[in-house]
Amino acid sequence: MHEEAQRRVNKLQWLAERAKADKEMRFENLIYLIDERALHEAYRRTRKGGASGIDGQTGAQYGEHLDENIRDLITRLKQGRYRAPAVRRAWIPKENGEKRPLGVPTFEDKVLQRAVVALLDVIYEQDFKECSYGFRPGRSAHDALRALREQCYRNRVSWVVDVDIKGFFDSIDHGVVRELLQRRIADRSIQRLVGKWLNAGVLEGGELIHPETGTPQGGVISPLLANICLNYILDEWFIAEVQPRLKGRSFLIRYCDDFVIGCEYEQDARRVMTVLPKRMNKYGLKLNEGKTRLVPFERPVGGSKGRGTFNFLGFTHYWGKTRNGYWVIKRKTARRRLQRTLKRIAEWCKTHRHRPLAAQARVLSQKLRGHYQYFGIYCNARSLKTVYYWTVRTWRYWLNRRDNTRRMSWERFTTIVLRCFPLPVPRVVHSWM
């Protein structure tokens, strides 16, 4: 078993080396690497507590007969009998009050997709550019934020193109996905497998829909397909064709389908704004005109205020002064993201106000820690304190509504509740370094 595992590792290393050495090489005969060991590892890395798909099977139920289920899946793959199940559609609210669709695949589908992603990552990690940060091994949103700040300083950026692709995951054409995938993957079995996921369909209200555009909603494979497409559509095009034609310095930072472009000169930024929609239209994509804009972002001079702000990955970026009077790029929680957080905490406190205090404190603490874990960055202390104090006030308000005859003063609330069940205070998790 150890020798078999070592042979697999050696094969993956060979794939990575070949992909790095030959950027035009197309890989065949990959499907055999989706074996029992790969599926066991994919099962281990798949979240077990997620919502179930159309078959109603949970991760725990699938794991009760794991070896048998994996052997059956391997058999169906080898015999060509595997059928991608439809995705169950759910709707989640957006920041602007609208709703966006979210797909829930079956648990077995998640496991198989994760195994395929782990295999393709070995090849495509050699192709993806430094400007890409979303859903890649060893990279995170905070790495993208750090790189954005450093690039603005290094390239003396004065203008930022804040871009939003309109419904990328729902509008990317299946033909485009297949065409771009085939540039590297010649294995027909992998191509057919991805094609089955693209054509699996969406089940909503008892009706099965087969859209001709969009990646598998909620699928593990979707972020990888998005990175593959945008690597060719955007990253390589910007580096090879756009940057050499610009007069000043520039950069691109992309996190999956969310990206910004920085330019040293206004003329260059306006040229990018002109050619970018044409490039997207070539592949059937459109920019959201209401959210795509050109932002002046030059360093302020003297006592003047900083011009322009833009949002990226949940943060508003702006110029501000340090305590020593130096102008630096600061970041704070975006207004809509902050409002959404406060609204969700208020709704939770209202719905669960009759639960025991210990249970409420435990969940609220988890929510606050999760918020600090992402938004706890340098210069964002004010927004973190806003969330903390809002949570404390809202919790007290809804505890008072449990029994209108017994009001809880602030002194009593602080003495009895917060002393016994303290909530985590704001803290900076990610320093500017």
Short mmCIF file of all heavy atoms in Angstrom, two decimals, residues 257-303:
data_model
loop_
_atom_site.label_atom_id
_atom_site.label_comp_id
_atom_site.label_asym_id
_atom_site.label_seq_id
_atom_site.Cartn_x
_atom_site.Cartn_y
_atom_site.Cartn_z
N ASP A 257 -13.94 35.46 -9.68
CA ASP A 257 -14.51 36.36 -10.68
C ASP A 257 -14.53 37.82 -10.22
O ASP A 257 -15.09 38.68 -10.89
CB ASP A 257 -15.93 35.92 -11.05
CG ASP A 257 -16.89 36.03 -9.88
OD1 ASP A 257 -16.46 35.81 -8.73
OD2 ASP A 257 -18.08 36.33 -10.10
N ASP A 258 -13.92 38.11 -9.09
CA ASP A 258 -13.87 39.47 -8.54
C ASP A 258 -12.46 40.01 -8.73
O ASP A 258 -11.49 39.41 -8.24
CB ASP A 258 -14.24 39.43 -7.05
CG ASP A 258 -14.50 40.81 -6.49
OD1 ASP A 258 -14.52 41.78 -7.27
OD2 ASP A 258 -14.69 40.93 -5.26
N PHE A 259 -12.31 41.13 -9.44
CA PHE A 259 -10.96 41.63 -9.70
C PHE A 259 -10.95 43.15 -9.83
O PHE A 259 -11.98 43.79 -10.08
CB PHE A 259 -10.38 40.99 -10.97
CG PHE A 259 -11.09 41.33 -12.25
CD1 PHE A 259 -10.65 42.37 -13.05
CD2 PHE A 259 -12.19 40.60 -12.66
CE1 PHE A 259 -11.30 42.68 -14.24
CE2 PHE A 259 -12.85 40.90 -13.85
CZ PHE A 259 -12.39 41.93 -14.64
N VAL A 260 -9.76 43.71 -9.63
CA VAL A 260 -9.52 45.14 -9.81
C VAL A 260 -8.25 45.31 -10.64
O VAL A 260 -7.34 44.47 -10.60
CB VAL A 260 -9.38 45.89 -8.48
CG1 VAL A 260 -10.68 45.88 -7.71
CG2 VAL A 260 -8.26 45.30 -7.64
N ILE A 261 -8.20 46.40 -11.38
CA ILE A 261 -7.03 46.74 -12.19
C ILE A 261 -6.56 48.13 -11.78
O ILE A 261 -7.36 49.07 -11.72
CB ILE A 261 -7.38 46.72 -13.70
CG1 ILE A 261 -7.79 45.31 -14.13
CG2 ILE A 261 -6.20 47.21 -14.54
CD1 ILE A 261 -8.29 45.22 -15.55
N GLY A 262 -5.28 48.25 -11.48
CA GLY A 262 -4.71 49.53 -11.08
C GLY A 262 -3.80 50.09 -12.17
O GLY A 262 -3.04 49.34 -12.79
N CYS A 263 -3.87 51.39 -12.40
CA CYS A 263 -3.06 52.04 -13.43
C CYS A 263 -2.41 53.29 -12.86
O CYS A 263 -2.99 54.00 -12.04
CB CYS A 263 -3.90 52.42 -14.65
SG CYS A 263 -4.63 51.00 -15.51
N GLU A 264 -1.22 53.56 -13.36
CA GLU A 264 -0.49 54.76 -12.91
C GLU A 264 -1.08 56.02 -13.53
O GLU A 264 -1.15 57.06 -12.87
CB GLU A 264 0.98 54.62 -13.29
CG GLU A 264 1.85 55.76 -12.79
CD GLU A 264 3.31 55.56 -13.13
OE1 GLU A 264 3.63 54.57 -13.83
OE2 GLU A 264 4.14 56.41 -12.71
N TYR A 265 -1.55 55.92 -14.80
CA TYR A 265 -2.06 57.09 -15.50
C TYR A 265 -3.53 56.94 -15.85
O TYR A 265 -4.01 55.83 -16.15
CB TYR A 265 -1.26 57.33 -16.79
CG TYR A 265 0.21 57.55 -16.57
CD1 TYR A 265 1.15 56.82 -17.30
CD2 TYR A 265 0.67 58.47 -15.63
CE1 TYR A 265 2.51 57.01 -17.10
CE2 TYR A 265 2.02 58.67 -15.43
CZ TYR A 265 2.94 57.93 -16.16
OH TYR A 265 4.28 58.12 -15.95
N GLU A 266 -4.22 58.06 -15.85
CA GLU A 266 -5.65 58.05 -16.17
C GLU A 266 -5.90 57.57 -17.60
O GLU A 266 -6.86 56.84 -17.87
CB GLU A 266 -6.23 59.46 -15.98
CG GLU A 266 -7.71 59.56 -16.31
CD GLU A 266 -8.26 60.95 -16.14
OE1 GLU A 266 -7.46 61.87 -15.80
OE2 GLU A 266 -9.47 61.15 -16.36
N GLN A 267 -5.04 57.98 -18.52
CA GLN A 267 -5.22 57.58 -19.92
C GLN A 267 -5.20 56.05 -20.07
O GLN A 267 -6.01 55.48 -20.80
CB GLN A 267 -4.11 58.20 -20.77
CG GLN A 267 -4.19 57.84 -22.25
CD GLN A 267 -3.03 58.42 -23.04
OE1 GLN A 267 -2.16 59.08 -22.48
NE2 GLN A 267 -3.02 58.16 -24.34
N ASP A 268 -4.29 55.40 -19.34
CA ASP A 268 -4.22 53.94 -19.40
C ASP A 268 -5.48 53.31 -18.81
O ASP A 268 -6.02 52.33 -19.36
CB ASP A 268 -3.00 53.44 -18.62
CG ASP A 268 -1.69 53.78 -19.32
OD1 ASP A 268 -1.73 54.04 -20.54
OD2 ASP A 268 -0.65 53.78 -18.65
N ALA A 269 -5.96 53.84 -17.71
CA ALA A 269 -7.15 53.30 -17.08
C ALA A 269 -8.37 53.41 -18.00
O ALA A 269 -9.19 52.48 -18.08
CB ALA A 269 -7.42 54.02 -15.76
N ARG A 270 -8.46 54.52 -18.72
CA ARG A 270 -9.61 54.69 -19.62
C ARG A 270 -9.49 53.76 -20.83
O ARG A 270 -10.51 53.28 -21.35
CB ARG A 270 -9.71 56.15 -20.07
CG ARG A 270 -10.02 57.09 -18.91
CD ARG A 270 -10.47 58.46 -19.37
NE ARG A 270 -10.77 59.32 -18.23
CZ ARG A 270 -11.92 59.30 -17.56
NH1 ARG A 270 -12.88 58.46 -17.94
NH2 ARG A 270 -12.12 60.10 -16.54
N ARG A 271 -8.29 53.48 -21.28
CA ARG A 271 -8.11 52.51 -22.37
C ARG A 271 -8.54 51.11 -21.92
O ARG A 271 -9.19 50.38 -22.67
CB ARG A 271 -6.65 52.49 -22.81
CG ARG A 271 -6.19 53.74 -23.52
CD ARG A 271 -4.76 53.61 -24.00
NE ARG A 271 -4.61 52.56 -25.01
CZ ARG A 271 -3.45 52.16 -25.50
NH1 ARG A 271 -2.33 52.71 -25.07
NH2 ARG A 271 -3.40 51.23 -26.42
N VAL A 272 -8.20 50.76 -20.67
CA VAL A 272 -8.62 49.46 -20.14
C VAL A 272 -10.14 49.39 -20.05
O VAL A 272 -10.76 48.38 -20.39
CB VAL A 272 -7.98 49.22 -18.76
CG1 VAL A 272 -8.57 47.97 -18.10
CG2 VAL A 272 -6.47 49.07 -18.89
N MET A 273 -10.76 50.47 -19.59
CA MET A 273 -12.22 50.52 -19.49
C MET A 273 -12.87 50.36 -20.87
O MET A 273 -13.99 49.85 -20.98
CB MET A 273 -12.66 51.84 -18.86
CG MET A 273 -12.50 51.88 -17.35
SD MET A 273 -13.77 50.94 -16.48
CE MET A 273 -15.20 51.99 -16.73
N THR A 274 -12.19 50.76 -21.91
CA THR A 274 -12.74 50.67 -23.27
C THR A 274 -12.64 49.25 -23.82
O THR A 274 -13.59 48.74 -24.44
CB THR A 274 -12.01 51.65 -24.20
OG1 THR A 274 -12.15 52.98 -23.70
CG2 THR A 274 -12.59 51.57 -25.61
N VAL A 275 -11.49 48.60 -23.62
CA VAL A 275 -11.28 47.28 -24.24
C VAL A 275 -11.82 46.13 -23.41
O VAL A 275 -12.09 45.05 -23.95
CB VAL A 275 -9.77 47.06 -24.52
CG1 VAL A 275 -9.24 48.12 -25.45
CG2 VAL A 275 -8.96 47.03 -23.22
N LEU A 276 -11.99 46.34 -22.12
CA LEU A 276 -12.41 45.24 -21.25
C LEU A 276 -13.79 44.69 -21.61
O LEU A 276 -13.97 43.46 -21.70
CB LEU A 276 -12.36 45.70 -19.78
CG LEU A 276 -12.47 44.60 -18.72
CD1 LEU A 276 -11.36 43.57 -18.89
CD2 LEU A 276 -12.40 45.22 -17.31
N PRO A 277 -14.81 45.54 -21.82
CA PRO A 277 -16.12 44.98 -22.22
C PRO A 277 -16.06 44.20 -23.53
O PRO A 277 -16.76 43.19 -23.68
CB PRO A 277 -17.00 46.23 -22.36
CG PRO A 277 -16.33 47.27 -21.54
CD PRO A 277 -14.87 47.00 -21.66
N LYS A 278 -15.23 44.66 -24.49
CA LYS A 278 -15.11 43.94 -25.76
C LYS A 278 -14.51 42.56 -25.54
O LYS A 278 -14.93 41.58 -26.17
CB LYS A 278 -14.24 44.75 -26.73
CG LYS A 278 -14.80 46.13 -27.06
CD LYS A 278 -13.85 46.90 -27.95
CE LYS A 278 -14.39 48.30 -28.25
NZ LYS A 278 -13.44 49.09 -29.09
N ARG A 279 -13.52 42.47 -24.66
CA ARG A 279 -12.90 41.18 -24.36
C ARG A 279 -13.92 40.23 -23.71
O ARG A 279 -13.97 39.05 -24.05
CB ARG A 279 -11.71 41.39 -23.43
CG ARG A 279 -11.00 40.10 -23.01
CD ARG A 279 -10.33 39.44 -24.19
NE ARG A 279 -9.62 38.23 -23.76
CZ ARG A 279 -8.94 37.44 -24.58
NH1 ARG A 279 -8.87 37.72 -25.87
NH2 ARG A 279 -8.32 36.36 -24.12
N MET A 280 -14.70 40.74 -22.80
CA MET A 280 -15.69 39.90 -22.13
C MET A 280 -16.79 39.46 -23.10
O MET A 280 -17.26 38.32 -23.08
CB MET A 280 -16.30 40.65 -20.94
CG MET A 280 -15.31 40.89 -19.82
SD MET A 280 -14.68 39.35 -19.13
CE MET A 280 -13.23 39.92 -18.23
N ASN A 281 -17.23 40.37 -23.95
CA ASN A 281 -18.28 40.04 -24.93
C ASN A 281 -17.84 38.93 -25.88
O ASN A 281 -18.67 38.15 -26.36
CB ASN A 281 -18.67 41.28 -25.73
CG ASN A 281 -19.43 42.29 -24.89
OD1 ASN A 281 -20.01 41.94 -23.87
ND2 ASN A 281 -19.42 43.54 -25.31
N LYS A 282 -16.56 38.85 -26.15
CA LYS A 282 -16.04 37.82 -27.04
C LYS A 282 -16.34 36.43 -26.51
O LYS A 282 -16.51 35.47 -27.28
CB LYS A 282 -14.53 38.02 -27.21
CG LYS A 282 -13.88 37.00 -28.13
CD LYS A 282 -12.39 37.27 -28.27
CE LYS A 282 -11.72 36.23 -29.16
NZ LYS A 282 -10.26 36.47 -29.28
N TYR A 283 -16.45 36.30 -25.19
CA TYR A 283 -16.72 35.00 -24.57
C TYR A 283 -18.10 34.93 -23.94
O TYR A 283 -18.37 34.10 -23.09
CB TYR A 283 -15.65 34.71 -23.51
CG TYR A 283 -14.27 34.51 -24.11
CD1 TYR A 283 -13.41 35.58 -24.26
CD2 TYR A 283 -13.86 33.26 -24.55
CE1 TYR A 283 -12.14 35.42 -24.81
CE2 TYR A 283 -12.60 33.09 -25.11
CZ TYR A 283 -11.75 34.17 -25.24
OH TYR A 283 -10.50 33.99 -25.80
N GLY A 284 -18.98 35.82 -24.38
CA GLY A 284 -20.35 35.78 -23.92
C GLY A 284 -20.58 36.33 -22.53
O GLY A 284 -21.61 36.07 -21.91
N LEU A 285 -19.64 37.10 -22.01
CA LEU A 285 -19.75 37.68 -20.68
C LEU A 285 -20.03 39.18 -20.77
O LEU A 285 -19.67 39.82 -21.75
CB LEU A 285 -18.47 37.45 -19.88
CG LEU A 285 -18.07 35.99 -19.64
CD1 LEU A 285 -16.69 35.91 -19.00
CD2 LEU A 285 -19.10 35.27 -18.77
N LYS A 286 -20.67 39.71 -19.75
CA LYS A 286 -20.98 41.13 -19.71
C LYS A 286 -20.55 41.71 -18.38
O LYS A 286 -20.58 41.05 -17.34
CB LYS A 286 -22.48 41.36 -19.92
CG LYS A 286 -22.98 40.97 -21.30
CD LYS A 286 -24.46 41.29 -21.45
CE LYS A 286 -24.96 40.94 -22.85
NZ LYS A 286 -26.40 41.25 -23.01
N LEU A 287 -20.16 42.99 -18.42
CA LEU A 287 -19.83 43.70 -17.20
C LEU A 287 -21.08 44.34 -16.62
O LEU A 287 -21.96 44.79 -17.37
CB LEU A 287 -18.77 44.78 -17.46
CG LEU A 287 -17.42 44.30 -17.99
CD1 LEU A 287 -16.46 45.48 -18.11
CD2 LEU A 287 -16.83 43.23 -17.09
N ASN A 288 -21.15 44.38 -15.32
CA ASN A 288 -22.25 45.06 -14.64
C ASN A 288 -21.96 46.56 -14.67
O ASN A 288 -21.10 47.06 -13.95
CB ASN A 288 -22.37 44.56 -13.20
CG ASN A 288 -23.64 45.03 -12.52
OD1 ASN A 288 -24.14 46.12 -12.79
ND2 ASN A 288 -24.16 44.22 -11.63
N GLU A 289 -22.67 47.27 -15.54
CA GLU A 289 -22.38 48.70 -15.75
C GLU A 289 -22.60 49.52 -14.49
O GLU A 289 -21.93 50.53 -14.29
CB GLU A 289 -23.25 49.24 -16.89
CG GLU A 289 -22.95 48.59 -18.25
CD GLU A 289 -23.79 49.18 -19.35
OE1 GLU A 289 -24.61 50.08 -19.06
OE2 GLU A 289 -23.63 48.75 -20.51
N GLY A 290 -23.53 49.09 -13.65
CA GLY A 290 -23.80 49.85 -12.43
C GLY A 290 -22.71 49.70 -11.38
O GLY A 290 -22.60 50.54 -10.48
N LYS A 291 -21.92 48.63 -11.47
CA LYS A 291 -20.89 48.38 -10.46
C LYS A 291 -19.47 48.51 -11.00
O LYS A 291 -18.53 48.56 -10.21
CB LYS A 291 -21.08 46.98 -9.86
CG LYS A 291 -22.38 46.81 -9.10
CD LYS A 291 -22.48 45.43 -8.48
CE LYS A 291 -23.77 45.26 -7.68
NZ LYS A 291 -23.87 43.91 -7.08
N THR A 292 -19.32 48.54 -12.31
CA THR A 292 -18.00 48.71 -12.91
C THR A 292 -17.73 50.20 -13.09
O THR A 292 -18.49 50.89 -13.77
CB THR A 292 -17.91 47.98 -14.26
OG1 THR A 292 -18.16 46.58 -14.06
CG2 THR A 292 -16.55 48.16 -14.88
N ARG A 293 -16.66 50.70 -12.52
CA ARG A 293 -16.40 52.14 -12.55
C ARG A 293 -14.91 52.43 -12.49
O ARG A 293 -14.11 51.59 -12.08
CB ARG A 293 -17.13 52.85 -11.40
CG ARG A 293 -16.69 52.37 -10.04
CD ARG A 293 -17.69 52.72 -8.94
NE ARG A 293 -17.18 52.31 -7.64
CZ ARG A 293 -16.62 53.13 -6.77
NH1 ARG A 293 -16.49 54.43 -7.06
NH2 ARG A 293 -16.19 52.70 -5.60
N LEU A 294 -14.59 53.64 -12.88
CA LEU A 294 -13.21 54.13 -12.85
C LEU A 294 -13.06 55.04 -11.63
O LEU A 294 -13.80 56.01 -11.47
CB LEU A 294 -12.90 54.89 -14.13
CG LEU A 294 -11.47 55.37 -14.32
CD1 LEU A 294 -10.50 54.19 -14.32
CD2 LEU A 294 -11.35 56.15 -15.62
N VAL A 295 -12.12 54.71 -10.75
CA VAL A 295 -12.00 55.41 -9.47
C VAL A 295 -10.66 56.14 -9.39
O VAL A 295 -9.60 55.51 -9.54
CB VAL A 295 -12.10 54.41 -8.30
CG1 VAL A 295 -12.01 55.13 -6.96
CG2 VAL A 295 -13.40 53.61 -8.38
N PRO A 296 -10.65 57.45 -9.16
CA PRO A 296 -9.39 58.15 -8.90
C PRO A 296 -8.87 57.75 -7.52
O PRO A 296 -9.60 57.82 -6.53
CB PRO A 296 -9.79 59.63 -8.94
CG PRO A 296 -11.25 59.64 -8.62
CD PRO A 296 -11.81 58.36 -9.15
N PHE A 297 -7.61 57.32 -7.45
CA PHE A 297 -7.10 56.78 -6.18
C PHE A 297 -5.65 57.20 -5.95
O PHE A 297 -4.84 56.42 -5.50
CB PHE A 297 -7.21 55.25 -6.21
CG PHE A 297 -7.16 54.61 -4.84
CD1 PHE A 297 -8.19 54.79 -3.94
CD2 PHE A 297 -6.07 53.83 -4.48
CE1 PHE A 297 -8.14 54.20 -2.70
CE2 PHE A 297 -6.02 53.24 -3.23
CZ PHE A 297 -7.06 53.42 -2.33
N GLU A 298 -5.35 58.43 -6.25
CA GLU A 298 -3.98 58.90 -6.08
C GLU A 298 -3.72 59.30 -4.63
O GLU A 298 -4.64 59.65 -3.89
CB GLU A 298 -3.72 60.09 -6.99
CG GLU A 298 -4.63 61.27 -6.75
CD GLU A 298 -4.44 62.36 -7.78
OE1 GLU A 298 -3.48 62.24 -8.57
OE2 GLU A 298 -5.22 63.31 -7.81
N ARG A 299 -2.47 59.23 -4.26
CA ARG A 299 -2.08 59.61 -2.90
C ARG A 299 -2.34 61.10 -2.68
O ARG A 299 -1.92 61.93 -3.50
CB ARG A 299 -0.59 59.31 -2.68
CG ARG A 299 -0.10 59.62 -1.27
CD ARG A 299 1.42 59.61 -1.24
NE ARG A 299 1.94 58.30 -1.53
CZ ARG A 299 2.22 57.38 -0.60
NH1 ARG A 299 2.04 57.66 0.67
NH2 ARG A 299 2.70 56.20 -0.96
N PRO A 300 -3.03 61.46 -1.61
CA PRO A 300 -3.30 62.89 -1.36
C PRO A 300 -2.01 63.67 -1.12
O PRO A 300 -1.00 63.11 -0.69
CB PRO A 300 -4.17 62.87 -0.10
CG PRO A 300 -4.74 61.49 -0.05
CD PRO A 300 -3.68 60.61 -0.63
N VAL A 301 -2.05 64.95 -1.41
CA VAL A 301 -0.90 65.83 -1.24
C VAL A 301 -1.22 66.83 -0.14
O VAL A 301 -2.28 67.47 -0.15
CB VAL A 301 -0.56 66.57 -2.54
CG1 VAL A 301 0.62 67.50 -2.32
CG2 VAL A 301 -0.26 65.57 -3.65
N GLY A 302 -0.30 66.96 0.82
CA GLY A 302 -0.48 67.94 1.88
C GLY A 302 -1.69 67.62 2.75
O GLY A 302 -1.92 66.51 3.19
N GLY A 303 -2.54 68.64 2.96
CA GLY A 303 -3.69 68.47 3.82
C GLY A 303 -4.97 68.10 3.09
O GLY A 303 -6.03 68.04 3.70
#
